Amino acid sequence: MRLNSLNKHKGGYSSETFNKDFGQRRWFATIGGGLQDVRAWDNDKNRYTDQVIAKALDLYVEGAGFQRVKLPTSFNLANIAELSEVELINPVACEVRGNVYVKADGIKEVN
């Protein structure tokens, strides 16, 4: 998600950045594309490696559009239904050149 001037915080992932940008928004599972592999970057070779360091899932954020969320490699989509409202577990976010990136320890359906 691109936030033009909503978040000027710099300095890595934090729960404060997540709460500022997404704290009052509802999230919905869009699992049709499934989990995507996030591969490690090799600075020396200037390319991605074959090593999977995380999984990623695109979620719909009410009023903000789609947001990719990085999750642990052990995460699976069991018990998450398509288009169900979900909650991120221990979410954090950071901004890099106007783009907001989100990580979480997991996702669970809202009861």
Side-chain angles (χ1 to χ4, degrees), residues 53-65:
I53 59 170
K55 297 289 184 175
L57 184 65
D58 293 328
L59 300 175
Y60 179 76
V61 184
E62 188 174 61

Side-chain angles (χ1 to χ4, degrees), residues 57-77:
L57 184 65
D58 293 328
L59 300 175
Y60 179 76
V61 184
E62 188 174 61
F66 288 92
Q67 175 67 45
R68 177 156 287 193
V69 177
K70 191 188 299 187
L71 300 157
T73 56
S74 60
F75 180 77
N76 65 59
L77 288 172

Side-chain angles (χ1 to χ4, degrees), residues 25 28 54 65 76 85:
R25 298 184 188 266
F28 295 90
N76 65 59
E85 185 174 352

Side-chain angles (χ1 to χ4, degrees), residues 85-87 108-111:
E85 185 174 352
V86 295
E87 177 182 330
K108 65 180 180 179
E109 283 191 18
V110 173
N111 293 330

Side-chain angles (χ1 to χ4, degrees), residues 32-109:
L35 291 169
Q36 305 296 313
D37 289 341
V38 177
R39 303 198 177 274
W41 178 258
D42 185 331
N43 284 328
D44 295 331
K45 296 180 181 178
N46 204 28
R47 64 181 172 95
Y48 288 99
T49 69
D50 291 334
Q51 178 188 9
V52 176
I53 59 170
K55 297 289 184 175
L57 184 65
D58 293 328
L59 300 175
Y60 179 76
V61 184
E62 188 174 61
F66 288 92
Q67 175 67 45
R68 177 156 287 193
V69 177
K70 191 188 299 187
L71 300 157
T73 56
S74 60
F75 180 77
N76 65 59
L77 288 172
N79 303 320
I80 305 288
E82 179 74 20
L83 299 178
S84 61
E85 185 174 352
V86 295
E87 177 182 330
L88 303 179
I89 300 168
N90 299 322
V92 291
C94 73
E95 181 184 349
V96 178
R97 292 184 294 275
N99 293 310
V100 178
Y101 299 92
V102 176
K103 295 192 307 187
D105 292 338
I107 299 170
K108 65 180 180 179
E109 283 191 18

